[in-house]
Amino acid sequence: MHVPEPDERSRGCLATAEKLGAWVRDGLGRREGMRVGHHVSECAACGAVVAELCQEIPA
């Protein structure tokens, strides 16, 4: 996974990055899933990570 270095990520990215795998697998609760989804929809860097995870994690 190509996650940017901590000094390159925003505070929202730091809070979201560790949850992206679970989010892609639909493994987060409703509230946390909504937070991650909202961040991903607005953050190109995290969106790119999600796209990569979707290719690596079978449905």
Side-chain angles (χ1 to χ4, degrees):
M1 176 168 39
H2 298 90
V3 178
E5 292 300 317
D7 58 335
E8 297 174 4
R9 292 184 274 175
S10 72
R11 191 175 245 178
C13 292
L14 292 172
T16 302
E18 65 188 28
K19 299 172 186 159
L20 291 176
W23 184 74
V24 168
R25 293 185 309 271
D26 200 25
L28 295 176
R30 182 175 176 215
R31 181 178 293 163
E32 195 61 31
M34 288 177 65
R35 282 187 197 137
V36 172
H38 178 72
H39 177 82
V40 168
S41 72
E42 295 187 347
C43 177
C46 288
V49 172
V50 166
E52 186 173 333
L53 285 172
C54 288
Q55 292 176 359
E56 295 178 15
I57 297 174

